Amino acid sequence: MYNDFTYKTYKKILLKFLSGHKNLTFSDFKRPKINYERFFIIRHDIDYCLEKALKMAEIDNSLSIRSTFFLQLSSPYYNLFDDKSYNIINKILSLKHEIGLHYDVNNYETRNKYNLKKEINILSSLISRKVSSISMHNPGINGLKLIKHQNLINAYSNMFKKNINYYSDSAGSWRNSTYDFLTSEIVPKKVQFLFHPIFWDSSKGDRYIRLDNFINAKKKYWVNEKFNIEKLWLNHKGLKEHMKRINKK
Ligand SMILES: [Zn+2]
């Protein structure tokens, strides 16, 4: 069942932590002397789809779990500054979750105008609250570039990797260690679990089905936008005059 990537399975995984583990978000570690014997952190890196992030935010909240959602400022797939995204971010925050920055080092290397500090400031200003946590996008592809900053908590720092069991659904797949954990009755004392919302849905499906669904929804969206743009043009006064002139000839 762990390979069906359904919300039902997702909930089953979360339920593993709910007896006897303290639920923490990353910014909780800013508090001095945080020293829980047993805890879990649920992390969501948002690479593609904010709507799916909200769905997971709602499921987490239905189990009284607070998670940390890491958002990209320069995603080619979503724009944090449009109204739809703004509403989703506010809904996620209203469900008591934390928002962090999902940084892409490619931007820092190729585009001088971007750097981590600027992105933190922009994201903080957008969500009207302090952003304290960061996670790197695609460390498996780009190689882990651990940006250290005294005021920021990095999800890949030793603090969250060395003494904490780390599990992830990266590429819509389970590493052996993760699958062993999922199929075992034993829950380690300290856990960070990374879920990417793109891979999860109400019905069964693998990474390719999820990607197809995502792309098809985008296609539908852009076909509709094409219609809206054309409608906008048709109502433009200048275009009406232009067409009248052309048709006269
Ligand atoms: Zn990512």
Side-chain angles (χ1 to χ4, degrees):
M1 74 167 298
Y2 291 105
N3 298 324
D4 68 12
F5 288 84
T6 59
Y7 291 137
K8 198 177 160 195
T9 297
Y10 174 63
K11 269 191 185 176
K12 193 181 151 85
I13 297 171
L14 293 183
L15 286 170
K16 280 176 170 284
F17 301 108
L18 290 186
S19 52
H21 278 66
K22 175 86 180 160
N23 170 213
L24 299 172
T25 68
F26 284 92
S27 67
D28 287 332
F29 289 83
K30 285 201 95 175
R31 276 186 267 139
K33 288 186 191 162
I34 185 148
N35 196 13
Y36 294 106
E37 263 294 293
R38 301 164 75 83
F39 64 78
F40 70 99
I41 310 162
I42 300 297
R43 168 177 150 207
H44 300 290
D45 285 358
I46 313 306
D47 293 340
Y48 301 100
C49 183
L50 279 171
E51 284 82 0
K52 284 210 149 179
L54 177 60
K55 180 70 193 169
M56 286 206 139
E58 287 167 348
I59 294 173
D60 297 353
N61 180 261
S62 74
L63 297 172
S64 301
I65 289 173
R66 293 175 62 230
S67 311
T68 311
F69 289 78
F70 289 95
L71 308 180
Q72 280 184 305
L73 223 67
S74 51
S75 169
Y77 306 111
Y78 60 83
N79 172 13
L80 289 188
F81 296 90
D82 69 24
D83 283 351
K84 205 169 65 178
S85 302
Y86 185 75
N87 289 333
I88 288 177
I89 294 167
N90 280 319
K91 272 188 200 156
I92 290 174
L93 286 169
S94 74
L95 296 171
K96 311 268 184 280
H97 300 301
E98 182 185 335
I99 299 275
L101 176 72
H102 195 37
Y103 66 93
D104 185 351
V105 287
N106 286 327
N107 290 331
Y108 304 151
E109 284 164 6
T110 57
R111 295 158 66 179
N112 288 335
K113 63 178 178 176
Y114 276 102
N115 65 45
L116 187 84
K117 213 174 151 216
K118 270 189 193 170
E119 288 200 340
I120 288 284
N121 288 341
I122 294 167
L123 187 58
S124 299
S125 145
L126 181 72
I127 68 172
S128 302
R129 61 187 80 190
K130 213 170 167 185
V131 172
S132 317
S133 314
I134 57 175
S135 80
M136 187 193 160
H137 177 53
N138 280 344
I141 295 165
N142 295 316
L144 182 61
K145 307 252 168 46
L146 198 60
I147 299 180
K148 285 182 187 163
H149 192 282
Q150 56 177 11
N151 293 320
L152 295 172
I153 292 168
N154 194 315
Y156 285 102
S157 63
N158 279 342
M159 192 173 161
F160 298 102
K161 297 277 306 229
K162 268 199 172 162
N163 302 313
I164 299 180
N165 285 56
Y166 173 71
Y167 304 118
S168 159
D169 66 353
S170 288
S173 59
W174 302 121
R175 291 198 175 216
N176 288 338
S177 57
T178 304
Y179 197 75
D180 288 346
F181 158 66
L182 291 174
T183 49
S184 146
E185 294 297 313
I186 301 156
V187 182
K189 284 183 175 174
K190 299 173 180 183
V191 175
Q192 173 188 175
F193 209 129
L194 166 61
F195 294 98
H196 297 81
I198 185 77
F199 298 121
W200 299 83
D201 215 322
S202 306
S203 53
K204 293 178 185 181
D206 65 13
R207 66 201 70 79
Y208 302 108
I209 290 171
R210 302 300 189 227
L211 185 60
D212 275 349
N213 288 344
F214 171 69
I215 298 292
N216 287 335
K218 285 273 175 204
K219 272 186 200 161
K220 215 170 142 188
Y221 171 81
W222 281 109
V223 166
N224 191 46
E225 281 306 296
K226 180 176 180 274
F227 172 77
N228 288 334
I229 293 167
E230 286 171 354
K231 211 166 102 185
L232 199 77
W233 286 344
L234 279 177
N235 288 319
H236 190 274
K237 236 178 146 185
L239 184 134
K240 282 179 184 164
E241 289 172 15
H242 181 90
M243 292 314 291
K244 211 171 162 184
R245 192 170 57 246
I246 284 181
N247 290 335
K248 260 189 192 168
K249 285 180 185 170

